[in-house]
Amino acid sequence: DGPISVKLCGDAIAGVVRIDGIGDPIPFAVGPGKNSVGDLERMRAVVVHGSVAAGGGFQVEGDGVAAELQVTDGPTAEITVSIRKATETELRRFAALRALQEAEQKKTYNDLHAQIAKARTRGVEQVHIDRAEKLLKTLKPDPGTYLCKQTMKDQMRWDKITERSEEPESVTLCSATEGCSCNEPFRGNEQLEITTG
């Protein structure tokens, strides 16, 4: 119902917090230097777990839970854990992080490149994006995925974008006057005479 808190005191205490339904254990450390909780070694962490599927755009389908963990500063630290329903933003971030991690395991350039872009727009922590970008630099794109001069030449042919009609061209005559010179066929070597007046 309310937050659960645990007081820790010691020179160097490190461990994990296990929460049913959250998945992986959450690391913490108390001692000289800096107290921290979570993978990113900060004093506050929100860990989300759930069953989600990314929909179109920024939509996610499913639900999940969020565990908010906070550790106080100093040699006598207190870790507070609150469990609640995850927000839609947190679920989007969780789904994007999971997709990014799956792309890292596949190690294909195109998948990883796309998931890095998606992770950025969905607010995934920069440390995860940096790790994925470091891996991306070691991969090479598939040669068939980028344009070269010959591919562009092949694809940008006029006959691919226009329709050829078998019917003869229709000509609409000028209707200004019955004997308008616009309607006469073209004659070579015509002269243009300009008069002022």
Side-chain angles (χ1 to χ4, degrees):
D1 290 345
I4 301 165
S5 65
V6 179
K7 290 191 179 185
L8 301 169
C9 181
D11 291 337
I13 300 172
V16 294
V17 177
R18 294 182 194 275
I19 303 169
D20 287 342
I22 291 293
D24 295 334
I26 304 156
F28 71 86
V30 173
K34 184 179 177 184
N35 299 342
S36 65
V37 65
D39 290 335
L40 304 180
E41 298 181 356
R42 295 182 181 154
M43 294 185 69
R44 181 179 179 276
V46 178
V47 180
V48 178
H49 190 75
S51 174
V52 295
F58 283 96
Q59 300 299 319
V60 288
E61 296 172 6
D63 59 355
V65 292
E68 286 188 50
L69 295 95
Q70 192 164 350
V71 63
T72 58
D73 199 13
T76 306
E78 183 175 353
I79 295 178
T80 307
V81 180
S82 299
I83 310 289
R84 59 175 172 72
K85 184 178 178 180
T87 65
E88 190 174 337
T89 301
E90 290 168 336
L91 290 173
R92 273 197 302 267
R93 188 178 304 127
F94 171 72
L97 176 59
R98 191 166 68 184
L100 181 65
Q101 290 167 338
E102 288 171 4
E104 286 177 288
Q105 290 172 354
K106 285 183 189 176
K107 293 184 179 174
T108 59
Y109 184 91
N110 294 342
D111 288 342
L112 188 55
H113 189 270
Q115 292 307 326
I116 289 171
K118 200 177 282 188
R120 271 201 182 94
T121 61
R122 301 217 167 130
V124 172
E125 289 85 1
Q126 189 63 40
V127 69
H128 299 298
I129 293 170
D130 291 343
R131 182 189 64 237
E133 285 181 331
K134 189 175 179 181
L135 174 61
L136 186 68
K137 288 177 183 177
T138 66
L139 304 174
K140 292 188 178 184
D142 178 22
T145 59
Y146 51 88
L147 290 175
C148 64
K149 185 177 179 180
Q150 188 58 44
T151 305
M152 289 181 67
K153 262 180 133 176
D154 292 343
Q155 296 298 321
M156 297 183 74
R157 287 188 12 222
W158 187 253
D159 61 349
K160 286 191 171 193
I161 60 168
T162 59
E163 289 183 27
R164 294 197 181 272
S165 175
E166 299 301 322
E167 298 174 15
E169 254 185 63
S170 63
V171 178
T172 306
L173 299 177
C174 178
S175 59
T177 63
E178 198 171 307
C180 182
S181 61
C182 296
N183 297 330
E184 292 179 17
F186 174 74
R187 287 178 266 144
N189 299 326
E190 289 187 359
Q191 289 185 344
L192 175 63
E193 194 176 308
I194 299 174
T195 58
T196 58

